[in-house]
mmCIF file of all heavy atoms in Angstrom:
data_model
loop_
_atom_site.group_PDB
_atom_site.id
_atom_site.type_symbol
_atom_site.label_atom_id
_atom_site.label_comp_id
_atom_site.label_asym_id
_atom_site.label_seq_id
_atom_site.Cartn_x
_atom_site.Cartn_y
_atom_site.Cartn_z
ATOM 1 N N LEU T 440 125.879 123.607 119.550
ATOM 2 C CA LEU T 440 126.925 123.995 118.595
ATOM 3 C C LEU T 440 126.295 124.536 117.310
ATOM 4 O O LEU T 440 126.769 125.529 116.746
ATOM 5 C CB LEU T 440 127.811 122.782 118.291
ATOM 6 C CG LEU T 440 128.984 123.021 117.328
ATOM 7 C CD1 LEU T 440 129.996 124.016 117.911
ATOM 8 C CD2 LEU T 440 129.698 121.700 116.996
ATOM 9 N N PHE T 441 125.205 123.896 116.874
ATOM 10 C CA PHE T 441 124.526 124.345 115.663
ATOM 11 C C PHE T 441 124.026 125.777 115.825
ATOM 12 O O PHE T 441 124.251 126.634 114.965
ATOM 13 C CB PHE T 441 123.347 123.413 115.333
ATOM 14 C CG PHE T 441 122.416 123.967 114.297
ATOM 15 C CD1 PHE T 441 122.799 124.027 112.962
ATOM 16 C CD2 PHE T 441 121.162 124.465 114.653
ATOM 17 C CE1 PHE T 441 121.948 124.577 111.994
ATOM 18 C CE2 PHE T 441 120.307 125.010 113.693
ATOM 19 C CZ PHE T 441 120.704 125.068 112.372
ATOM 20 N N ILE T 442 123.370 126.059 116.938
ATOM 21 C CA ILE T 442 122.824 127.415 117.139
ATOM 22 C C ILE T 442 123.967 128.435 117.218
ATOM 23 O O ILE T 442 123.922 129.493 116.584
ATOM 24 C CB ILE T 442 121.949 127.471 118.414
ATOM 25 C CG1 ILE T 442 120.709 126.598 118.238
ATOM 26 C CG2 ILE T 442 121.533 128.911 118.719
ATOM 27 C CD1 ILE T 442 119.880 126.419 119.506
ATOM 28 N N ARG T 443 125.010 128.101 117.962
ATOM 29 C CA ARG T 443 126.131 129.044 118.098
ATOM 30 C C ARG T 443 126.801 129.281 116.745
ATOM 31 O O ARG T 443 127.154 130.417 116.403
ATOM 32 C CB ARG T 443 127.153 128.504 119.119
ATOM 33 C CG ARG T 443 126.643 128.607 120.564
ATOM 34 C CD ARG T 443 127.711 128.223 121.564
ATOM 35 N NE ARG T 443 128.010 126.802 121.547
ATOM 36 C CZ ARG T 443 129.251 126.300 121.583
ATOM 37 N NH1 ARG T 443 130.292 127.094 121.629
ATOM 38 N NH2 ARG T 443 129.435 124.993 121.571
ATOM 39 N N PHE T 444 126.952 128.205 115.973
ATOM 40 C CA PHE T 444 127.587 128.347 114.654
ATOM 41 C C PHE T 444 126.728 129.226 113.739
ATOM 42 O O PHE T 444 127.236 130.090 113.023
ATOM 43 C CB PHE T 444 127.796 126.965 114.025
ATOM 44 C CG PHE T 444 128.570 126.998 112.742
ATOM 45 C CD1 PHE T 444 129.956 126.954 112.750
ATOM 46 C CD2 PHE T 444 127.923 127.109 111.521
ATOM 47 C CE1 PHE T 444 130.684 127.000 111.559
ATOM 48 C CE2 PHE T 444 128.631 127.157 110.329
ATOM 49 C CZ PHE T 444 130.019 127.101 110.353
ATOM 50 N N CYS T 445 125.419 129.015 113.775
ATOM 51 C CA CYS T 445 124.512 129.817 112.936
ATOM 52 C C CYS T 445 124.567 131.286 113.319
ATOM 53 O O CYS T 445 124.645 132.168 112.451
ATOM 54 C CB CYS T 445 123.073 129.310 113.071
ATOM 55 S SG CYS T 445 122.776 127.757 112.228
ATOM 56 N N LEU T 446 124.523 131.566 114.621
ATOM 57 C CA LEU T 446 124.528 132.971 115.068
ATOM 58 C C LEU T 446 125.860 133.628 114.715
ATOM 59 O O LEU T 446 125.914 134.783 114.303
ATOM 60 C CB LEU T 446 124.267 133.041 116.576
ATOM 61 C CG LEU T 446 122.882 132.550 117.035
ATOM 62 C CD1 LEU T 446 122.764 132.598 118.560
ATOM 63 C CD2 LEU T 446 121.748 133.365 116.396
ATOM 64 N N GLU T 447 126.953 132.864 114.851
ATOM 65 C CA GLU T 447 128.272 133.418 114.537
ATOM 66 C C GLU T 447 128.404 133.738 113.051
ATOM 67 O O GLU T 447 129.019 134.727 112.663
ATOM 68 C CB GLU T 447 129.368 132.414 114.940
ATOM 69 C CG GLU T 447 130.785 132.949 114.708
ATOM 70 C CD GLU T 447 131.851 131.843 114.744
ATOM 71 O OE1 GLU T 447 131.501 130.659 114.614
ATOM 72 O OE2 GLU T 447 133.032 132.191 114.890
ATOM 73 N N ASN T 448 127.780 132.894 112.213
ATOM 74 C CA ASN T 448 127.978 133.035 110.771
ATOM 75 C C ASN T 448 126.776 133.600 110.026
ATOM 76 O O ASN T 448 126.721 133.552 108.794
ATOM 77 C CB ASN T 448 128.395 131.689 110.178
ATOM 78 C CG ASN T 448 129.775 131.278 110.666
ATOM 79 O OD1 ASN T 448 130.783 131.859 110.257
ATOM 80 N ND2 ASN T 448 129.830 130.315 111.566
ATOM 81 N N GLY T 449 125.807 134.087 110.756
ATOM 82 C CA GLY T 449 124.694 134.811 110.137
ATOM 83 C C GLY T 449 123.650 133.949 109.466
ATOM 84 O O GLY T 449 122.856 134.445 108.658
ATOM 85 N N LEU T 450 123.598 132.659 109.787
ATOM 86 C CA LEU T 450 122.577 131.815 109.156
ATOM 87 C C LEU T 450 121.176 132.072 109.700
ATOM 88 O O LEU T 450 120.208 131.485 109.236
ATOM 89 C CB LEU T 450 122.924 130.323 109.309
ATOM 90 C CG LEU T 450 123.926 129.818 108.279
ATOM 91 C CD1 LEU T 450 125.353 130.022 108.744
ATOM 92 C CD2 LEU T 450 123.684 128.359 107.943
ATOM 93 N N ASP T 451 121.088 132.947 110.681
ATOM 94 C CA ASP T 451 119.777 133.380 111.186
ATOM 95 C C ASP T 451 119.296 134.627 110.445
ATOM 96 O O ASP T 451 118.245 135.165 110.756
ATOM 97 C CB ASP T 451 119.877 133.699 112.684
ATOM 98 C CG ASP T 451 120.924 134.769 112.975
ATOM 99 O OD1 ASP T 451 121.946 134.841 112.239
ATOM 100 O OD2 ASP T 451 120.736 135.553 113.928
#
Side-chain angles (χ1 to χ4, degrees):
Chain T
L440 181 64
F441 167 73
I442 294 172
R443 287 187 290 136
F444 186 87
C445 286
L446 295 177
E447 183 196 18
N448 293 288
L450 278 88
D451 58 328

